[in-house]
């Protein structure tokens, strides 16, 4: 999921780098597989997952099926995108070497 954060952009990665990396790319010029938000999860083929992403002025939080995956305080951090997903700005969904479906996208201001 590619999204704006203040004056920059970032992406929430789910199933990246071989299928199991979850995290934000990029934080301080470090991609999700190697930064502090990076973790691992298993994803089954042909199974729907519910992703939730909350972006505020000072934090980014994400969940997959209700489980907390990212909770990053963004003050003083450099957020950026991998060049491969730049075309999806300002908001979008991108996939690489996989197939995905998207359903029921909701965006709301809080």
């Amino acid at each position: 999921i590619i999204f704006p954060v203040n004056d920059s952009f970032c992406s929430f990665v789910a199933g990246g780098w071989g299928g199991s990396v979850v995290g934000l790319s990029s934080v301080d010029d470090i991609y999700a597989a190697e930064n502090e938000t990076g973790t691992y999860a298993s994803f089954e083929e042909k199974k729907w997952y519910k992703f939730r992403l909350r972006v505020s002025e000072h934090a980014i939080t994400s969940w997959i099926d209700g489980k907390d995956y990212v909770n990053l305080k963004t003050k003083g951090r450099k957020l950026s995108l991998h060049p491969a997903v730049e075309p999806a700005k300002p908001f979008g969904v991108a996939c690489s070497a996989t197939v995905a479906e998207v359903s029921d996208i909701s965006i709301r201001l809080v």
Side-chain angles (χ1 to χ4, degrees), residues 36-72:
E36 69 208 64
T37 68
T39 188
Y40 298 92
S42 296
F43 295 97
E44 297 176 33
E45 286 187 38
K46 299 183 182 184
K47 178 181 176 189
W48 286 95
Y49 293 90
K50 181 178 182 179
F51 295 86
R52 184 171 175 216
L53 179 68
R54 179 184 293 155
V55 180
S56 70
E57 185 178 353
H58 299 291
I60 301 170
T61 310
S62 70
W63 300 264
I64 301 173
D65 287 343
K67 182 179 177 191
D68 189 6
Y69 275 89
V70 171
N71 192 350
L72 179 72

